Amino acid sequence: MGNREWEVGSEKWQALRVTLYVLVLAVFLGAAIPSVAQDGSEGDDSGLKKAVTANDVNKIAKRVYCPVCESTPLDVCQTQACADWRDIIRQKLEEGASEQEIFDYFSNLYGDRVLAEPPREGFSLLLWLLPLIIVPLGAVFFSRYMRNLKATAVQSVSVPDTAVPDAAASSDYLARIEKELENN
Amino acid sequence: MIADIGYFALLIAFVTAIYAAVAAWYGKSKDKMRWVESARNATIIILPLVVLSCALLVTSILRNDFSLEYVWRVSSIEMPTYLKFTSLWGGQAGSLLFWNLLLAIFTAVAMARKWHEQKELMPYALIVISMTQIFFLGLSAFVENPFTRLDVIPPNGNGLNPLLRHPGMIIHPPMLYLGFTGFIIPYTFAIAALMAGKLDDGWIRTTRRWTLVAWLFLSLGLILGGRWAYDVLGWGGYWGWDPVENASFMPWLAGTAFLHSVMIQEKRHMFKMWNMFLIILTYSLVIYGTFIVRSGVISSVHSFARSAIGPLFFAFIAIMFIFSAYWVNRRRDELASTNSLQSLLSREAAFLYNNFLILAILAVVFLFTNYPIVSELFTGEKGFVGPPVYEKALAPLFGLLVLLMGVAPLTMWYRSSVKRLGRAMRWPAIASTITVIVLFILNIRGWGALVGFWAATFATFLTLLEFWKGTRARMKRGESVWAAFSNLMARNRRRYGGYWIHMGVLIMAFGVIGVEVFQQETQLRLEKGGSLTLGRYEMVFNDINRFPGPDDLMITEATMDVYVDGRLVDTITPRTELYTRTGQPMTIPDARSTIAEDFYVLLVNWEPTSANSATFRVFLNPLINWVWGGGIIFVLGTLIAAWPDRKKQSVAARSRRVAIGAAD
């Protein structure tokens, strides 16, 4: 009978709902924040030419896509154009440019589409915001829908009690019966 | 001459499809079964016609008939014979014809086999499936005709795109297409059920196995595609959130949601409307997926406008969607649920949570995939969404889905008690927490990875426990462990096949977290005899050779010794291949592969390699083989679930079903 406490509108149900919203929100914020934090932290310009390794170049090239080669990041692409772009990255790194400055350089010249991660401003901000809006909004509609389904259940008593495995009596035996019934 | 016959067969097939639609409609409206039967025979006749057309196209390829534009595009004189066969689906026009072949096979089999089983639905099913066939046959006959001739006959052809010569790529497209076309059958019967007003779950039972088989092929296609990318594309990964990949992932997602939610309808006769929506969505995404792949619309809106194929697809999706929506609307009262939800903690509710999460993932993927088009429409500047964005947005959703995968099987129909669920989850929760603590002590860091590992471990324990509980219940009847386990599988194939699938996905989840979070890489130029270290691995560059391969291939192959903790464990040979005629290079990796990780080496061709030094890019991919291993278990699980029942059993099952229905 413990189930009744979880009925729609009950205190526990409300608590569950709020917890769910908070969880979903937390998960999404959690997904967004570390990446935001990352953005500002790069880039110290200590003058002079630095020794730049292929790994340093790859780290940036991984997240740049030239406009010609479809969906192939710069670190993988084999064309001459992409090799030239990699050289540009190397030069910029040697001159002490930060990651963000190199991304900006390419996006100023060729547009945001060369970046694996579109900037969080202007039109492409939409891209970042929409999932954060759509999914929680969907969750709200979905929980409303579930609640309505549940509400009609309270009015209509359509299921014989025998079909409801009682919590206390639901031993392995009943579980097995249920399994057998389901076999089709 | 041969090509002319091939084209003629295609034209007749097109006309036959129109005839089938008209005859089925006429027969139904005038109540003349002979016309409906004639329509059925027409859909079956389409199969040999399309087979003939395909066979003649392949013959033209084998005969090096470069007067055909398609043959010139995808084949060449020197190409090995087996590749000439697979060139049938190596280009646009051919793969559409191949699509038609698979659709014709599915249609003929469905119409021949289900004739007696679902007689009332048949006239409508014939109309619906013929509409799809008219569209695709028409596309092949008039827009993307593989038999189009060139004015000047070239002496030799281009040859198949080197990327498509890998064994993985040879079977990957047929798998995807089988999955795509397979889903057309359940859609057809769903709409037929709407039109006939027969809204019991007959259409679901009739097409259940079709749906599973289509889903199996689509899954296989996705897994093989990943393997192909890993083996051939040379970037150390297996999935890049490319629009073309997403195009097959989206119908898979919708199909997965459908496979789960139909179980509610079968068991509880609920959510008829929802299931209709899901199968219509799956069908639309199948057509849309074909459209994305074939029109190149994502890479450029301009290719959409240039080729006639884009607007035609668009129109067809719109027509079928409106057609479907019209019938759903007409039957909306009958589709309304008669039963209702008893509890938010029940099996049916769990299936709905699953549906919500999957559709949320689908919505995000759909949004990101189409962003380039939307961006170009609104800002005039083409946009791009790279993998990091997908990963950030989807990781939490996938995590929740993994959790649900473990918990949902514990719930019962109608309602489950919190106490019982809590009791069932207590030990797995403790065990997985301990596992994660151990991982932490073993110096595995990153909260995302640890949370992910925890969820996957928790779900794995819960799933294993389900197997164990069932086995133990049977053992109490005196069966041995093995007999109990195998009988359990045999008697409940669908349920336990499903759990095997879950196990496969969970194992893949470990692999995905391993690669995504803990991948290491480095790149270095080595002189002969020089070495490179990554993790516990040391690699020594022994030798490099250049030699000609088959056809126009020039191969450069490096020989590397791999040491672990100072001990020689393997010799691997990463290489580059250059197709000299087209000048297209390929980077073929080689790897020291173990359950724990792949030491994956690429011979990078950035600078022209001199005789004595070369640049290598090396990846350490932890748990990558779990992705493939999980994939195999996934496929086996689907086979268990889809394996046909013996006749006797199914009769018994049917009578039992009636009994359950009465009890409801």
Side-chain angles (χ1 to χ4, degrees), chain B residues 422-443:
Chain B
R423 211 178 325 128
M425 288 192 294
R426 194 178 340 154
W427 286 108
I430 293 172
S432 47
T433 308
I434 293 173
T435 312
V436 168
I437 292 172
V438 170
L439 287 177
F440 189 80
I441 293 168
L442 291 174
N443 210 18

PDB file of all heavy atoms in Angstrom, chain B residues 422-443:
ATOM      1  N   GLY B 422      14.032  -0.554  -4.201  1.00  0.00           N
ATOM      2  CA  GLY B 422      15.174  -0.178  -3.387  1.00  0.00           C
ATOM      3  C   GLY B 422      15.963  -1.403  -2.966  1.00  0.00           C
ATOM      4  O   GLY B 422      17.191  -1.428  -3.044  1.00  0.00           O
ATOM      5  N   ARG B 423      15.221  -2.443  -2.555  1.00  0.00           N
ATOM      6  CA  ARG B 423      15.876  -3.660  -2.104  1.00  0.00           C
ATOM      7  C   ARG B 423      16.684  -4.280  -3.252  1.00  0.00           C
ATOM      8  O   ARG B 423      17.812  -4.715  -3.075  1.00  0.00           O
ATOM      9  CB  ARG B 423      14.831  -4.652  -1.600  1.00  0.00           C
ATOM     10  CG  ARG B 423      15.380  -5.514  -0.492  1.00  0.00           C
ATOM     11  CD  ARG B 423      14.311  -6.485   0.065  1.00  0.00           C
ATOM     12  NE  ARG B 423      12.963  -5.986   0.107  1.00  0.00           N
ATOM     13  CZ  ARG B 423      11.920  -6.662  -0.420  1.00  0.00           C
ATOM     14  NH1 ARG B 423      12.105  -7.808  -1.024  1.00  0.00           N
ATOM     15  NH2 ARG B 423      10.710  -6.158  -0.327  1.00  0.00           N
ATOM     16  N   ALA B 424      16.076  -4.278  -4.447  1.00  0.00           N
ATOM     17  CA  ALA B 424      16.748  -4.903  -5.583  1.00  0.00           C
ATOM     18  C   ALA B 424      17.987  -4.118  -6.019  1.00  0.00           C
ATOM     19  O   ALA B 424      18.912  -4.676  -6.584  1.00  0.00           O
ATOM     20  CB  ALA B 424      15.781  -5.039  -6.745  1.00  0.00           C
ATOM     21  N   MET B 425      17.975  -2.801  -5.721  1.00  0.00           N
ATOM     22  CA  MET B 425      19.077  -1.967  -6.226  1.00  0.00           C
ATOM     23  C   MET B 425      20.190  -1.792  -5.207  1.00  0.00           C
ATOM     24  O   MET B 425      21.266  -1.327  -5.542  1.00  0.00           O
ATOM     25  CB  MET B 425      18.551  -0.593  -6.641  1.00  0.00           C
ATOM     26  CG  MET B 425      17.727  -0.634  -7.911  1.00  0.00           C
ATOM     27  SD  MET B 425      17.393   0.992  -8.576  1.00  0.00           S
ATOM     28  CE  MET B 425      16.372   1.712  -7.353  1.00  0.00           C
ATOM     29  N   ARG B 426      19.914  -2.163  -3.951  1.00  0.00           N
ATOM     30  CA  ARG B 426      20.860  -1.824  -2.888  1.00  0.00           C
ATOM     31  C   ARG B 426      22.257  -2.379  -3.168  1.00  0.00           C
ATOM     32  O   ARG B 426      23.223  -1.631  -3.241  1.00  0.00           O
ATOM     33  CB  ARG B 426      20.332  -2.344  -1.560  1.00  0.00           C
ATOM     34  CG  ARG B 426      21.069  -1.758  -0.379  1.00  0.00           C
ATOM     35  CD  ARG B 426      20.479  -2.260   0.934  1.00  0.00           C
ATOM     36  NE  ARG B 426      19.119  -2.774   0.757  1.00  0.00           N
ATOM     37  CZ  ARG B 426      18.538  -3.686   1.545  1.00  0.00           C
ATOM     38  NH1 ARG B 426      19.177  -4.177   2.567  1.00  0.00           N
ATOM     39  NH2 ARG B 426      17.312  -4.096   1.326  1.00  0.00           N
ATOM     40  N   TRP B 427      22.345  -3.698  -3.351  1.00  0.00           N
ATOM     41  CA  TRP B 427      23.672  -4.304  -3.504  1.00  0.00           C
ATOM     42  C   TRP B 427      24.387  -3.872  -4.774  1.00  0.00           C
ATOM     43  O   TRP B 427      25.574  -3.528  -4.729  1.00  0.00           O
ATOM     44  CB  TRP B 427      23.582  -5.822  -3.388  1.00  0.00           C
ATOM     45  CG  TRP B 427      23.367  -6.208  -1.951  1.00  0.00           C
ATOM     46  CD1 TRP B 427      22.219  -6.695  -1.395  1.00  0.00           C
ATOM     47  CD2 TRP B 427      24.297  -6.056  -0.874  1.00  0.00           C
ATOM     48  NE1 TRP B 427      22.376  -6.865  -0.043  1.00  0.00           N
ATOM     49  CE2 TRP B 427      23.640  -6.479   0.315  1.00  0.00           C
ATOM     50  CE3 TRP B 427      25.614  -5.585  -0.782  1.00  0.00           C
ATOM     51  CZ2 TRP B 427      24.262  -6.463   1.555  1.00  0.00           C
ATOM     52  CZ3 TRP B 427      26.233  -5.579   0.453  1.00  0.00           C
ATOM     53  CH2 TRP B 427      25.565  -6.007   1.611  1.00  0.00           C
ATOM     54  N   PRO B 428      23.689  -3.849  -5.926  1.00  0.00           N
ATOM     55  CA  PRO B 428      24.372  -3.327  -7.120  1.00  0.00           C
ATOM     56  C   PRO B 428      24.886  -1.905  -6.918  1.00  0.00           C
ATOM     57  O   PRO B 428      25.984  -1.568  -7.375  1.00  0.00           O
ATOM     58  CB  PRO B 428      23.288  -3.364  -8.194  1.00  0.00           C
ATOM     59  CG  PRO B 428      22.385  -4.459  -7.756  1.00  0.00           C
ATOM     60  CD  PRO B 428      22.371  -4.419  -6.260  1.00  0.00           C
ATOM     61  N   ALA B 429      24.113  -1.083  -6.198  1.00  0.00           N
ATOM     62  CA  ALA B 429      24.548   0.305  -5.973  1.00  0.00           C
ATOM     63  C   ALA B 429      25.824   0.317  -5.141  1.00  0.00           C
ATOM     64  O   ALA B 429      26.780   1.032  -5.455  1.00  0.00           O
ATOM     65  CB  ALA B 429      23.446   1.091  -5.277  1.00  0.00           C
ATOM     66  N   ILE B 430      25.835  -0.509  -4.090  1.00  0.00           N
ATOM     67  CA  ILE B 430      27.030  -0.557  -3.233  1.00  0.00           C
ATOM     68  C   ILE B 430      28.222  -1.088  -4.029  1.00  0.00           C
ATOM     69  O   ILE B 430      29.311  -0.507  -4.012  1.00  0.00           O
ATOM     70  CB  ILE B 430      26.761  -1.446  -1.997  1.00  0.00           C
ATOM     71  CG1 ILE B 430      25.702  -0.769  -1.113  1.00  0.00           C
ATOM     72  CG2 ILE B 430      28.044  -1.683  -1.208  1.00  0.00           C
ATOM     73  CD1 ILE B 430      25.206  -1.625   0.022  1.00  0.00           C
ATOM     74  N   ALA B 431      27.987  -2.185  -4.771  1.00  0.00           N
ATOM     75  CA  ALA B 431      29.084  -2.802  -5.522  1.00  0.00           C
ATOM     76  C   ALA B 431      29.661  -1.843  -6.555  1.00  0.00           C
ATOM     77  O   ALA B 431      30.885  -1.740  -6.702  1.00  0.00           O
ATOM     78  CB  ALA B 431      28.589  -4.076  -6.200  1.00  0.00           C
ATOM     79  N   SER B 432      28.787  -1.098  -7.248  1.00  0.00           N
ATOM     80  CA  SER B 432      29.310  -0.205  -8.280  1.00  0.00           C
ATOM     81  C   SER B 432      30.025   0.979  -7.655  1.00  0.00           C
ATOM     82  O   SER B 432      30.997   1.489  -8.214  1.00  0.00           O
ATOM     83  CB  SER B 432      28.194   0.259  -9.221  1.00  0.00           C
ATOM     84  OG  SER B 432      27.086   0.680  -8.497  1.00  0.00           O
ATOM     85  N   THR B 433      29.541   1.419  -6.485  1.00  0.00           N
ATOM     86  CA  THR B 433      30.237   2.506  -5.795  1.00  0.00           C
ATOM     87  C   THR B 433      31.639   2.061  -5.387  1.00  0.00           C
ATOM     88  O   THR B 433      32.616   2.791  -5.580  1.00  0.00           O
ATOM     89  CB  THR B 433      29.443   2.951  -4.551  1.00  0.00           C
ATOM     90  OG1 THR B 433      28.096   3.209  -4.962  1.00  0.00           O
ATOM     91  CG2 THR B 433      30.039   4.201  -3.946  1.00  0.00           C
ATOM     92  N   ILE B 434      31.728   0.821  -4.869  1.00  0.00           N
ATOM     93  CA  ILE B 434      33.052   0.298  -4.513  1.00  0.00           C
ATOM     94  C   ILE B 434      33.952   0.233  -5.746  1.00  0.00           C
ATOM     95  O   ILE B 434      35.116   0.645  -5.713  1.00  0.00           O
ATOM     96  CB  ILE B 434      32.920  -1.103  -3.857  1.00  0.00           C
ATOM     97  CG1 ILE B 434      32.217  -0.966  -2.506  1.00  0.00           C
ATOM     98  CG2 ILE B 434      34.293  -1.746  -3.690  1.00  0.00           C
ATOM     99  CD1 ILE B 434      31.892  -2.289  -1.855  1.00  0.00           C
ATOM    100  N   THR B 435      33.373  -0.239  -6.868  1.00  0.00           N
ATOM    101  CA  THR B 435      34.149  -0.318  -8.104  1.00  0.00           C
ATOM    102  C   THR B 435      34.737   1.036  -8.470  1.00  0.00           C
ATOM    103  O   THR B 435      35.922   1.147  -8.815  1.00  0.00           O
ATOM    104  CB  THR B 435      33.268  -0.810  -9.266  1.00  0.00           C
ATOM    105  OG1 THR B 435      32.548  -1.958  -8.836  1.00  0.00           O
ATOM    106  CG2 THR B 435      34.101  -1.143 -10.492  1.00  0.00           C
ATOM    107  N   VAL B 436      33.895   2.062  -8.372  1.00  0.00           N
ATOM    108  CA  VAL B 436      34.362   3.397  -8.760  1.00  0.00           C
ATOM    109  C   VAL B 436      35.424   3.902  -7.797  1.00  0.00           C
ATOM    110  O   VAL B 436      36.407   4.521  -8.208  1.00  0.00           O
ATOM    111  CB  VAL B 436      33.164   4.372  -8.856  1.00  0.00           C
ATOM    112  CG1 VAL B 436      33.649   5.802  -8.955  1.00  0.00           C
ATOM    113  CG2 VAL B 436      32.319   4.025 -10.061  1.00  0.00           C
ATOM    114  N   ILE B 437      35.259   3.584  -6.514  1.00  0.00           N
ATOM    115  CA  ILE B 437      36.276   3.985  -5.536  1.00  0.00           C
ATOM    116  C   ILE B 437      37.611   3.311  -5.867  1.00  0.00           C
ATOM    117  O   ILE B 437      38.671   3.943  -5.843  1.00  0.00           O
ATOM    118  CB  ILE B 437      35.825   3.638  -4.101  1.00  0.00           C
ATOM    119  CG1 ILE B 437      34.642   4.535  -3.725  1.00  0.00           C
ATOM    120  CG2 ILE B 437      36.967   3.826  -3.098  1.00  0.00           C
ATOM    121  CD1 ILE B 437      33.975   4.171  -2.433  1.00  0.00           C
ATOM    122  N   VAL B 438      37.532   2.021  -6.232  1.00  0.00           N
ATOM    123  CA  VAL B 438      38.749   1.309  -6.622  1.00  0.00           C
ATOM    124  C   VAL B 438      39.382   1.981  -7.839  1.00  0.00           C
ATOM    125  O   VAL B 438      40.601   2.203  -7.881  1.00  0.00           O
ATOM    126  CB  VAL B 438      38.443  -0.180  -6.911  1.00  0.00           C
ATOM    127  CG1 VAL B 438      39.652  -0.853  -7.556  1.00  0.00           C
ATOM    128  CG2 VAL B 438      38.044  -0.895  -5.637  1.00  0.00           C
ATOM    129  N   LEU B 439      38.548   2.334  -8.819  1.00  0.00           N
ATOM    130  CA  LEU B 439      39.066   3.024 -10.007  1.00  0.00           C
ATOM    131  C   LEU B 439      39.770   4.308  -9.616  1.00  0.00           C
ATOM    132  O   LEU B 439      40.819   4.653 -10.147  1.00  0.00           O
ATOM    133  CB  LEU B 439      37.931   3.326 -10.989  1.00  0.00           C
ATOM    134  CG  LEU B 439      37.355   2.144 -11.759  1.00  0.00           C
ATOM    135  CD1 LEU B 439      36.196   2.581 -12.632  1.00  0.00           C
ATOM    136  CD2 LEU B 439      38.438   1.506 -12.621  1.00  0.00           C
ATOM    137  N   PHE B 440      39.158   5.018  -8.657  1.00  0.00           N
ATOM    138  CA  PHE B 440      39.738   6.278  -8.207  1.00  0.00           C
ATOM    139  C   PHE B 440      41.104   6.033  -7.562  1.00  0.00           C
ATOM    140  O   PHE B 440      42.067   6.745  -7.833  1.00  0.00           O
ATOM    141  CB  PHE B 440      38.791   6.952  -7.211  1.00  0.00           C
ATOM    142  CG  PHE B 440      39.211   8.347  -6.854  1.00  0.00           C
ATOM    143  CD1 PHE B 440      38.923   9.404  -7.702  1.00  0.00           C
ATOM    144  CD2 PHE B 440      39.913   8.608  -5.678  1.00  0.00           C
ATOM    145  CE1 PHE B 440      39.313  10.690  -7.387  1.00  0.00           C
ATOM    146  CE2 PHE B 440      40.306   9.893  -5.358  1.00  0.00           C
ATOM    147  CZ  PHE B 440      40.006  10.938  -6.216  1.00  0.00           C
ATOM    148  N   ILE B 441      41.157   4.979  -6.736  1.00  0.00           N
ATOM    149  CA  ILE B 441      42.432   4.639  -6.093  1.00  0.00           C
ATOM    150  C   ILE B 441      43.468   4.255  -7.148  1.00  0.00           C
ATOM    151  O   ILE B 441      44.648   4.567  -7.022  1.00  0.00           O
ATOM    152  CB  ILE B 441      42.226   3.490  -5.075  1.00  0.00           C
ATOM    153  CG1 ILE B 441      41.356   3.997  -3.918  1.00  0.00           C
ATOM    154  CG2 ILE B 441      43.569   2.972  -4.548  1.00  0.00           C
ATOM    155  CD1 ILE B 441      40.845   2.904  -3.020  1.00  0.00           C
ATOM    156  N   LEU B 442      43.013   3.602  -8.224  1.00  0.00           N
ATOM    157  CA  LEU B 442      43.913   3.238  -9.320  1.00  0.00           C
ATOM    158  C   LEU B 442      44.281   4.439 -10.173  1.00  0.00           C
ATOM    159  O   LEU B 442      44.782   4.308 -11.281  1.00  0.00           O
ATOM    160  CB  LEU B 442      43.277   2.167 -10.200  1.00  0.00           C
ATOM    161  CG  LEU B 442      43.130   0.788  -9.561  1.00  0.00           C
ATOM    162  CD1 LEU B 442      42.372  -0.146 -10.468  1.00  0.00           C
ATOM    163  CD2 LEU B 442      44.499   0.226  -9.219  1.00  0.00           C
ATOM    164  N   ASN B 443      43.954   5.624  -9.654  1.00  0.00           N
ATOM    165  CA  ASN B 443      44.371   6.871 -10.286  1.00  0.00           C
ATOM    166  C   ASN B 443      43.589   7.205 -11.561  1.00  0.00           C
ATOM    167  O   ASN B 443      44.126   7.786 -12.491  1.00  0.00           O
ATOM    168  CB  ASN B 443      45.875   6.840 -10.586  1.00  0.00           C
ATOM    169  CG  ASN B 443      46.454   8.226 -10.539  1.00  0.00           C
ATOM    170  OD1 ASN B 443      45.839   9.136  -9.965  1.00  0.00           O
ATOM    171  ND2 ASN B 443      47.606   8.405 -11.157  1.00  0.00           N
TER     172      ASN B 443
END
